[in-house]
């Protein structure tokens, strides 16, 4: 834990970014001299920035000449009488004669702000405070700001109430914080902003470590955040329940019992719900996205085998739910199954990547103003997907589908509601067949016989994915990650009794589709080929196969990483220049389907300094990339003695083995 500041001091860095929506509401109240008294409730999980926002609001109130009192729930008295006496003593510095008159009558028109941090620590006092103390406040001039883990629904006729549930910072806000607190290079700033998930505490700790530690390791920050989150879980009986939620998208009491094989008391379930990082889900409880990210990383580092076993148990429980679910519930359960299985999907595929959860974009429907930007996205897609003479056909098709089948287009939007990605997929029916035949007759002739084309339209059981595209100029996410998100959104729609067929020419797309269970067959002729690639017909047929069976089939029976050894990694490094030889090691890595994927994964780790010392990184690159099979040159390039060189090499290969096994 070298160089890491204590959590509380790191969380209270003077630099403040973001929260503009909340601060605008608060500042409008500050500047309105006629505004009624107000209660502001800041809520959110640990580390989300409640204390920082509370301190900022206190500072802004002082600038507007408010009298301010700052209380910490950890130090406040726990009875009404002693709390009143405590506040009375603090107010005496402002109004010595009758201090409490300022709060309850305020005849002199003094403007006062009372800030209370860690309000959840006032558990014995909270009911009295909210329902007796607050309603007695003066009508004007008094502000109360509370920072609590959970929202506090309060309604008082003469008190204005505002709720500020906090979420993670945007990528841009994270970058802004790092720029204000460090002198890192732009690429380092972008990498750090991506790794910290917009959690303010994580940002503060990571920045502190990067600027003070000689050997920064972001995984240490992950473990620290995990410990901070878990500190809130005081009851041992909640730990197994929480572990299930680390793995699953959601769980209700019945699912928790099915996974754990025992009864879960209603009291434990309610206590779990009260944790600050637990959110409500339409079908139960779920972990806050950012908390899930850190707790899962920590679980993977501590107990990878038990995590895998729990993962399988959770998938089996969801599979059972799916088999007897109503049609309405199936989409929710299917989505949860697919998202749990993403860990097994390719991490470094050139078409779709599932390296991280995407928090800051959302999917939505088409609106009229989207069309020009969709054409821009389409033109970009055409540049790497089809020969230039076919571009206009796709643009004409987009205009036509917007007019006739707009629900077939899923839009990916950024924080500003601008389209940054789209997926076009049509269910092949008697209504959509004329449209598809007009623009993609060649492709349909490759997929179907004439009779098969007619039967498919009548059966209405076939999806035809046309294209998926996303911007490639965003700093927060790569195009491949955005495409991966869009693909998951669409795969959820593939129910039992349906199939998806696509004519694919992109080799990375074909490789990915095979990984998740699509079967491939060649086209009858070259009419669908591009000038640089041969077309193949890729099909996922669930007409005679249950959706749940397909998802479970993608998950290997045994955890592949268990057999990865230092000897294997040394041999991988020795053959790093030969993808054909590397293919034999695919069985050891869950996210690599061929030798190229193994090579790409290892090289990406070697060129990423996080996790290695500079000496270890230099030794590996010199040994196996720059001077393979020439130890003399490698030792000289590292400017080390041979003994020192081998010592660093041994440690580096062990470190790489641990990283590949995650």
């Amino acid at each position: 834990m070298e160089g890491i500041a204590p959590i509380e001091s790191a969380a209270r860095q003077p630099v403040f970014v973001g929260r503009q929506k909340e601060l605008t509401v608060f500042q409008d109240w500050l500047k309105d001299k006629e505004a009624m008294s107000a209660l502001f409730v800041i809520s959110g999980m640990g580390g989300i920035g409640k204390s920082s926002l509370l301190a900022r609001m206190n500072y802004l109130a002082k600038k507007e000449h408010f009298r301010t009192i700052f209380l910490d729930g950890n130090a406040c008295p726990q009875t009404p009488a002693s709390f009143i006496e405590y506040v009375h003593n603090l107010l005496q510095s402002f109004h010595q004669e009758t201090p409490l008159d300022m709060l309850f009558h305020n005849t002199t028109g003094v403007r006062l702000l009372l800030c209370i941090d860690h309000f959840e620590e006032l558990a014995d006092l909270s009911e009295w405070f909210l329902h007796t103390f607050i309603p007695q406040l003066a009508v004007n001039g008094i502000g109360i700001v509370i920072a609590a883990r959970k929202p506090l629904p309060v309604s008082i006729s003469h008190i204005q109430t505002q709720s500020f549930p906090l979420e993670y910072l945007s990528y841009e806000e994270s970058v802004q914080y790092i720029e204000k607190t460090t002198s890192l290079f732009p690429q380092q700033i972008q990498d750090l902003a991506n790794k910290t998930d917009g959690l303010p505490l994580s940002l503060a700790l990571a920045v502190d470590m990067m600027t003070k530690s000689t050997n920064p390791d972001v995984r240490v920050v992950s473990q620290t955040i995990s410990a901070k989150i878990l500190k809130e879980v005081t009851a041992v009986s909640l730990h197994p329940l929480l572990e299930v939620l680390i793995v699953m998208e959601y769980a209700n009491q019945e699912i928790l019992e099915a996974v754990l094989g025992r009864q879960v008391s209603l009291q434990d379930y309610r206590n779990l719900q009260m944790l600050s990082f637990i959110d409500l889900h339409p079908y139960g409880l779920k972990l806050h996205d950012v908390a899930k990210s850190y707790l899962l990383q920590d679980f993977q580092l501590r107990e990878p085998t038990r995590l895998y076993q729990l993962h399988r148990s959770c998938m089996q429980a969801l599979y059972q739910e799916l088999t007897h679910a109503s049609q309405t519930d199936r989409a929710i359960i299917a989505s949860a199954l697919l998202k749990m299985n993403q860990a097994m999907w390719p991490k470094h595929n050139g078409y779709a990547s599932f390296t991280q959860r995407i928090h800051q974009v959302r999917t939505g429907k088409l609106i009229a103003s989207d069309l020009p930007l969709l054409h821009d996205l389409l033109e970009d897609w055409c540049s790497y997907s089809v020969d230039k003479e076919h571009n206009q056909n796709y643009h004409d098709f987009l205009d036509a589908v917007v007019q006739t089948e707009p629900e077939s287009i899923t839009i990916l939007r950024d924080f500003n509601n601008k389209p940054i990605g789209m997926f076009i997929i049509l269910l092949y029916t008697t209504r959509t067949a004329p449209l598809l035949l007009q623009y993609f007759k060649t492709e349909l002739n490759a997929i179907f016989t004439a009779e098969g084309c007619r039967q498919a339209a009548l059966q209405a059981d076939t999806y035809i994915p046309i294209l998926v595209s996303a911007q490639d100029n965003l700093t927060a996410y790569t195009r491949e990650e955005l495409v991966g998100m869009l693909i998951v959104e669409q795969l959820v729609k593939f129910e039992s009794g349906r199939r998806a067929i696509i004519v694919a020419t992109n080799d990375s797309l074909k490789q990915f589709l095979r990984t998740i269970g699509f079967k491939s067959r060649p086209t009858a002729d070259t009419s669908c080929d591009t000038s640089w690639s041969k077309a193949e017909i890729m099909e996922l047929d669930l007409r005679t196969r249950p959706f749940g069976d397909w998802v479970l089939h993608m998950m290997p029976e045994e955890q592949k990483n268990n057999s990865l050894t230092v000897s294997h990694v040394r041999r991988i490094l020795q053959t790093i220049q030969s993808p054909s030889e590397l293919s034999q090691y695919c069985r050891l890595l869950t996210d690599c389907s061929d030798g190229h994927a193994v090579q790409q994964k290892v090289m990406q780790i070697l060129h990423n300094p996080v996790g290695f010392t500079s000496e270890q990184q230099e030794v590996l690159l010199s040994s196996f990339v720059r001077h393979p099979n020439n130890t003399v040159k490698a030792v000289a390039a590292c400017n080390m003695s041979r003994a020192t060189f081998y010592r660093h090499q041994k440690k580096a290969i062990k470190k790489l083995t641990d990283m590949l096994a995650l």
Side-chain angles (χ1 to χ4, degrees):
M1 305 241 326
E2 178 187 8
I4 294 183
I7 285 179
E8 287 305 318
S9 60
R12 296 175 186 272
Q13 294 287 336
V15 172
F16 187 90
V17 299
R19 311 304 186 200
Q20 286 308 305
K21 181 177 69 174
E22 292 83 0
L23 289 177
T24 298
V25 172
F26 180 66
Q27 287 178 297
D28 287 345
W29 177 82
L30 288 178
K31 291 172 182 176
D32 184 358
K33 291 182 171 52
E34 303 300 321
M36 67 173 63
S37 293
L39 171 66
F40 302 92
V41 180
I42 305 168
S43 59
M45 62 172 278
I48 203 70
K50 301 185 297 294
S51 297
S52 295
L53 179 57
L54 186 70
R56 185 68 174 178
M57 293 167 75
N58 184 63
Y59 166 75
L60 293 173
K62 286 182 176 179
K63 284 184 67 176
E64 293 292 330
H65 309 295
F66 272 65
R67 305 287 177 86
T68 67
I69 297 176
F70 203 103
L71 306 179
D72 190 324
N74 289 303
C76 283
Q78 288 279 343
T79 64
S82 55
F83 181 84
I84 288 288
E85 183 180 356
Y86 184 51
V87 173
H88 176 276
N89 293 334
L90 292 171
L91 288 172
Q92 277 190 319
S93 60
F94 302 144
H95 198 285
Q96 292 186 356
E97 295 180 3
T98 52
L100 292 176
D101 278 353
M102 293 175 61
L103 279 174
F104 301 130
H105 305 292
N106 199 16
T107 54
T108 59
V110 173
R111 308 194 78 196
L112 174 71
L113 187 74
L114 176 63
C115 300
I116 305 179
D117 201 1
H118 303 111
F119 185 77
E120 64 278 352
E121 298 301 327
L122 298 175
D124 296 336
L125 199 66
S126 60
E127 285 294 313
W128 169 84
F129 183 87
L130 294 173
H131 301 295
T132 303
F133 180 80
I134 294 289
Q136 293 184 58
L137 292 177
V139 175
N140 296 100
I142 308 300
I144 307 284
V145 187
I146 294 172
R149 290 173 180 169
K150 289 289 186 180
L152 303 171
V154 180
S155 178
I156 304 166
S157 59
H158 71 282
I159 303 290
Q160 179 184 345
T161 58
Q162 292 285 348
S163 181
F164 294 155
L166 299 188
E167 286 296 329
Y168 36 76
L169 298 175
S170 71
Y171 173 82
E172 290 74 19
E173 289 166 344
S174 298
V175 167
Q176 185 184 358
Y177 177 87
I178 299 168
E179 287 175 340
K180 286 184 175 182
T181 52
T182 72
S183 55
L184 298 176
F185 294 114
Q187 187 58 53
Q188 293 175 305
I189 291 173
Q190 292 172 15
D191 291 344
L192 194 57
N194 278 324
K195 286 183 172 72
T196 50
D197 282 323
L199 184 67
L201 178 59
S202 176
L203 271 171
L205 288 170
V207 163
D208 191 75
M209 181 189 66
M210 293 292 286
T211 54
K212 294 182 180 178
S213 176
T214 57
N215 183 24
D217 187 346
V218 176
R219 288 182 301 172
V220 176
V221 172
S222 178
Q223 291 171 311
T224 307
I225 300 297
S226 176
K228 167 76 173 177
I229 293 169
L230 291 173
K231 194 175 180 181
E232 190 180 324
V233 189
T234 54
V236 176
S237 59
L238 297 187
H239 284 205
L241 281 62
L242 180 60
E243 287 180 344
V244 174
L245 287 181
I246 291 173
V247 174
M248 303 185 81
E249 279 295 303
Y250 70 89
N252 53 32
Q253 197 172 351
E254 291 75 19
I255 291 177
L256 288 168
E257 291 177 342
V259 173
L260 298 174
R262 62 172 176 81
Q263 278 196 323
V264 173
S265 71
L266 184 58
Q267 187 60 51
D268 275 348
Y269 188 76
R270 287 174 174 167
N271 288 340
L272 185 69
Q273 182 179 340
M274 292 305 296
L275 297 174
S276 71
F277 50 88
I278 299 294
D279 295 330
L280 290 176
H281 183 279
Y283 287 73
L285 304 178
K286 68 185 289 289
L287 266 175
H288 188 288
D289 284 341
V290 176
K292 187 185 187 81
S293 174
Y294 285 104
L295 291 173
L296 185 57
Q297 287 177 51
D298 188 41
F299 205 157
Q300 286 173 325
L301 285 168
R302 287 186 292 104
E303 301 177 89
T305 301
R306 195 165 70 84
L307 173 61
Y308 180 83
Q309 292 166 347
L310 181 60
H311 192 186
R312 286 202 67 87
S313 298
C314 290
M315 291 194 73
Q316 290 287 353
L318 276 184
Y319 175 81
Q320 293 301 321
E321 287 275 311
L322 190 67
T323 57
H324 56 75
S326 67
Q327 197 64 33
T328 307
D329 295 344
R330 287 185 62 83
I332 298 290
I333 300 172
S335 175
L337 266 172
L338 275 173
K339 288 175 180 176
M340 283 179 63
N341 211 40
Q342 279 179 237
M344 302 297 166
W345 292 4
K347 299 291 190 299
H348 306 289
N349 181 273
Y351 199 89
S353 175
F354 305 91
T355 51
Q356 62 178 327
R357 299 172 68 88
I358 297 182
H359 306 302
Q360 300 177 19
V361 296
R362 59 187 179 83
T363 55
K365 295 298 185 182
L366 179 76
I367 57 178
S369 59
D370 292 336
L371 193 53
L373 292 173
L374 297 188
H375 276 291
D376 291 341
L377 279 171
L378 179 57
E379 186 62 29
D380 188 33
W381 178 86
C382 287
S383 68
Y384 59 84
S385 300
V386 297
D387 287 310
K388 194 169 184 179
E389 61 267 23
H390 298 299
N391 288 18
Q392 190 56 48
N393 183 62
Y394 279 89
H395 285 285
D396 293 342
F397 169 75
L398 177 58
D399 287 330
V401 81
V402 165
Q403 293 298 320
T404 59
E405 304 290 335
E407 68 283 355
S408 299
I409 307 177
T410 299
I411 308 295
L412 196 62
R413 301 185 184 280
D414 63 12
F415 261 170
N416 298 317
N417 212 36
K418 298 294 184 184
I420 56 173
M422 68 171 168
F423 198 120
I424 304 179
I425 180 171
L426 279 85
L427 183 62
Y428 190 66
T429 66
T430 52
R431 191 179 76 180
T432 60
L435 178 66
L436 287 165
L437 285 166
Q438 179 181 350
Y439 292 98
F440 301 111
K441 187 172 183 178
T442 302
E443 287 80 356
L444 290 180
N445 286 340
I447 293 172
F448 301 114
T449 63
E451 177 59 22
C453 192
R454 190 179 73 85
Q455 286 298 323
L458 291 172
Q459 294 292 334
D461 60 4
T462 303
Y463 283 105
I464 309 290
I466 305 299
L467 63 93
V468 54
S469 178
Q471 284 187 11
D472 199 28
N473 58 355
L474 300 181
T475 49
Y477 303 110
T478 66
R479 170 192 280 151
E480 291 76 21
E481 287 165 349
L482 297 176
V483 165
M485 178 183 178
L486 281 164
I487 286 174
V488 173
E489 293 284 336
Q490 299 305 313
L491 285 173
V492 171
K493 299 177 182 177
F494 293 159
E495 308 162 10
S496 301
R498 299 286 174 89
R499 63 175 170 173
I501 307 180
I502 180 174
V503 177
T505 55
N506 185 294
D507 288 336
S508 295
L509 174 61
K510 289 185 279 189
Q511 176 191 334
F512 164 68
L513 293 177
R514 290 191 190 98
T515 303
I516 65 170
F518 276 72
K519 305 299 182 186
S520 63
R521 67 178 190 267
T523 55
D525 54 39
T526 62
S527 57
C528 295
D529 296 351
T530 64
S531 58
W532 62 84
S533 184
K534 184 169 179 58
E536 290 184 57
I537 298 167
M538 312 294 298
E539 181 174 0
L540 175 64
D541 194 342
L542 300 182
R543 291 176 300 177
T544 58
R545 184 183 184 188
F547 179 96
D549 285 358
W550 163 60
V551 176
L552 286 181
H553 178 74
M554 286 188 281
M555 191 175 187
E557 289 300 319
E558 298 177 1
Q559 189 175 13
K560 296 181 179 179
N561 289 344
N562 285 344
S563 56
L564 187 69
T565 66
V566 170
S567 297
H568 286 134
V569 174
R570 185 178 288 276
R571 291 198 293 272
I572 287 172
L573 289 168
Q574 289 167 345
T575 56
I576 195 65
Q577 306 291 351
S578 175
S580 60
E581 292 185 58
L582 289 172
S583 60
Q584 64 184 297
Y585 301 105
C586 293
R587 63 186 177 81
L588 304 175
L589 303 170
T590 57
D591 57 352
C592 295
S593 57
D594 59 25
H596 283 286
V598 175
Q599 182 187 55
Q600 188 176 6
K601 178 170 185 173
V602 173
M603 291 302 293
Q604 184 170 348
I605 293 175
L606 291 182
H607 284 95
N608 184 354
V610 175
F612 293 113
T613 65
S614 57
E615 291 86 0
Q616 289 170 346
Q617 184 188 24
E618 185 63 26
V619 162
L620 287 182
L621 289 172
S622 296
S623 302
F624 303 107
V625 180
R626 297 168 188 152
H627 308 291
N629 305 315
N630 193 331
T631 304
V632 174
K633 278 192 175 181
V635 170
C638 294
N639 196 25
M640 298 175 181
S641 69
R642 189 172 287 243
T644 302
F645 176 86
Y646 282 126
R647 187 171 70 251
H648 281 301
Q649 187 189 75
K650 183 178 180 180
K651 289 182 178 179
I653 293 175
K654 177 63 171 69
K655 175 76 77 170
L656 180 60
T657 304
D658 293 340
M659 295 168 77
L660 287 170
L662 290 179

